[in-house]
């Protein structure tokens, strides 16, 4: 049976969810979904011989379906094995179709690839990563620091996210040599203008140590219980008011990509009521980006101004069923490669919208995420 036929025959599976927490703001900026493996039996009642690649695709699609049932607007993070991506275009087509059927657009999905990268499969894997990026997916690499990951793949893959090995991230707080390795990986990621995610954080001390090392995105039981679901609160360890030490830099300083957070997006045709539902569900969202059919930002909805308009006399009745575009503003796009200081100056050029989120775009103008001006101010003031 081909991969597409396999996907059509699937039934919903249970999934677990983990928040991706931004330590800079304390907000949940993405949700990782992981579907449990499904058992099965053959025609004679014996176990079915597993197809690892098809099973990997099945779990990815089921995780997305489970997240869709919860109706979370946050970007979705899903794991995939490198061997799966290198298994051919048929599986990728099935993955793309299955994810699309959940209602998710590609730029709302972060596909984290792990499991080691055998040299013999490097060409097929590189082609698959390129295909995913062209489709608009955000691509990450996981297991950094322990799994076999050629360093030049970090460049060729143009990764959006680098996910540390959980064991390495946890033990860095107690082992100076591992702490040095983590610090070097974080510095490398910053220089490559990509994000670092530290998973598996079990204690507040571990979270604080990674924050001081320059890691901004974290996951783990120290922040949320095992039964966490989108919309539930998270716990953020307190540093006593200390800011993380400034990262050494050169030239014009860090790029705006270092401060980019996943954007909450809706199609340009969304109604004000749909935007209100998203903002009520995700209290940490400061804006909603309205994108066209090519995932390019067309308008942005600022949370504060939007809610003020709807909370006024007859506001909900006047606007809820009408296009959200009526209450939106032109986006403020910045290329992912622009220096953060230049982006901050651009933000200050508009007195009335100086604190509105900036929209980070790629080389063809597609939305990659947003940058909060307050983050730039804090970073540039240190």
């Amino acid at each position: 049976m081909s991969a597409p036929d396999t996907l059509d025959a699937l039934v919903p599976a249970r999934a677990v969810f983990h928040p991706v927490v931004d330590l800079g703001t304390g907000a949940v900026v993405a949700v990782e979904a992981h579907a449990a493996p499904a058992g099965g039996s053959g025609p004679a009642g014996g176990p079915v011989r597993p197809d690892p690649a098809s099973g990997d695709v099945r779990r990815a699609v089921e995780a997305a379906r489970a997240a869709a049932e919860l109706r979370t607007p946050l970007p979705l993070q899903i794991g995939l094995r490198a061997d799966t991506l290198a298994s051919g275009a048929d599986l990728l087509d099935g993955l793309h179709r299955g994810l699309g059927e959940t209602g998710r657009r590609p730029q709302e999905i972060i596909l984290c690839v792990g499991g080691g990268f055998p040299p013999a499969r490097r060409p097929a894997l590189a082609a698959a990563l390129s295909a995913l990026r062209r489709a608009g997916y955000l691509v990450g690499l996981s297991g950094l620091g322990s799994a076999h990951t050629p360093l030049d793949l970090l460049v060729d893959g143009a990764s959006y996210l680098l996910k540390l090995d959980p064991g390495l991230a946890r033990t860095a707080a107690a082992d100076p040599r591992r702490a040095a390795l983590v610090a070097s990986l974080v510095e490398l990621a910053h220089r490559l203008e990509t994000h670092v995610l530290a998973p598996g954080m079990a204690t507040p001390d571990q979270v604080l140590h990674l924050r001081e090392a320059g890691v901004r995105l974290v996951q783990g039981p120290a922040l949320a219980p095992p039964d966490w679901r989108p919309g539930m609160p998270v716990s953020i360890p307190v540093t006593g008011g200390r800011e993380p030490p400034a990262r050494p830099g050169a030239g014009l300083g860090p790029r705006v990509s270092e401060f980019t957070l996943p954007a909450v997006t809706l199609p340009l045709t969304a109604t004000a009521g749909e935007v209100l539902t998203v903002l009520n569900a995700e209290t940490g969202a400061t804006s909603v980006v309205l994108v066209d059919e090519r995932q390019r930002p067309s308008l942005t909805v600022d949370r504060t101004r939007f809610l003020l308009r709807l909370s006024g006399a007859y506001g909900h009745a006047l606007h809820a069923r009408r296009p959200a575009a009526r209450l939106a503003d032109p986006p403020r796009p910045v290329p992912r490669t622009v220096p953060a200081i230049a982006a901050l100056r651009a933000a200050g050029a508009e007195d009335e919208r100086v604190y509105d989120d900036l929209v980070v775009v790629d080389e063809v103008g597609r939305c990659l995420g947003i940058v909060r001006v307050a983050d730039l101010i804090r970073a540039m003031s240190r």
Side-chain angles (χ1 to χ4, degrees):
M1 180 180 291
S2 66
D5 291 337
T6 301
L7 292 177
D8 291 339
L10 293 176
V11 295
R14 292 182 304 168
V16 294
F17 301 92
H18 305 290
V20 178
V21 179
D22 171 25
L23 293 178
T25 63
V28 178
V29 295
V31 175
E32 180 180 19
H34 177 76
S41 60
V48 174
R49 184 176 181 179
D51 176 357
S54 294
D56 200 29
V57 170
R58 179 197 64 78
R59 287 189 294 273
V61 173
E62 288 300 340
R65 288 176 179 169
E69 292 175 0
L70 298 180
R71 301 183 181 278
T72 174
L74 289 174
L76 185 64
Q77 179 185 312
I78 299 174
L80 283 172
R81 296 168 60 251
D83 282 344
T84 298
L85 293 187
S87 295
D90 286 346
L91 274 176
L92 287 185
D93 289 343
L95 173 69
H96 181 62
R97 186 176 66 252
L99 293 177
E101 288 172 353
T102 68
R104 289 270 177 176
R105 294 180 292 276
Q107 85 277 6
E108 299 172 341
I109 300 175
I110 306 168
L111 296 175
C112 276
V113 184
F117 304 92
R121 310 209 75 177
R122 174 71 178 270
L125 177 62
L129 292 174
S130 296
L132 291 174
R133 288 195 304 274
R134 286 195 303 271
Y137 292 101
L138 304 176
V139 178
L141 300 178
S142 62
L144 193 65
S146 66
H148 170 65
T149 308
L151 292 181
D152 63 334
L153 183 64
L154 307 185
V155 179
D156 295 342
S159 300
Y160 174 82
L161 181 73
L162 298 179
K163 192 172 182 179
L164 296 173
D165 172 76
L168 175 64
R170 282 193 299 269
T171 56
D175 186 336
R177 296 174 68 87
R178 290 177 177 267
L181 175 58
V182 167
S184 66
L185 292 173
V186 171
E187 178 63 19
L188 174 63
H190 285 159
R191 290 183 180 274
L192 294 177
E193 302 172 4
T194 189
H195 297 290
V196 181
L197 171 62
M201 297 289 94
T203 68
D205 286 344
Q206 292 170 1
V207 176
L208 296 178
H209 177 83
L210 269 295
R211 180 177 186 267
E212 291 179 352
V215 175
R216 180 162 177 169
L217 303 178
V218 292
Q219 292 175 295
L223 300 117
D227 60 348
W228 183 89
R229 291 291 183 272
M232 294 174 62
V234 294
S235 301
I236 309 297
V238 179
T239 63
R242 290 186 300 132
E243 288 290 335
R247 183 178 65 83
L252 294 176
R255 302 286 178 176
V256 74
S257 57
E258 292 189 22
F259 305 94
T260 304
L261 300 173
V264 175
T265 64
L266 287 174
L268 184 57
T269 55
T271 66
E274 291 171 331
V275 172
L276 180 62
T277 298
V278 166
L279 293 177
N280 284 338
E282 303 300 335
T283 56
T286 51
S287 64
V288 174
V289 182
L290 304 180
V291 296
D292 64 14
E293 66 280 358
R294 296 185 180 180
Q295 319 311 326
R296 297 172 302 189
S298 297
L299 295 165
T300 56
V301 178
D302 176 76
R303 180 189 188 92
T304 301
R305 289 197 297 275
F306 177 82
L307 293 181
L308 282 175
R309 293 287 296 275
L310 261 69
S311 64
Y314 309 107
H316 190 275
L318 287 173
H319 301 296
R321 296 186 180 181
R322 305 182 73 178
R326 300 170 59 254
L327 304 178
D329 300 291
R332 301 202 295 172
V334 293
R336 66 185 298 271
T337 55
V338 74
I341 186 64
L344 184 59
R345 290 169 180 164
E350 299 183 54
D351 293 340
E352 295 182 357
R353 300 178 58 198
V354 65
Y355 289 107
D356 281 18
D357 293 342
L358 304 176
V359 182
V360 182
V361 296
D362 64 10
E363 293 77 6
V364 294
R366 293 180 300 194
C367 176
L368 289 178
I370 57 100
V371 169
R372 293 168 177 164
V373 173
D375 293 344
L376 298 181
I377 293 174
R378 281 195 294 267
M380 297 299 102
S381 65
R382 294 202 299 267

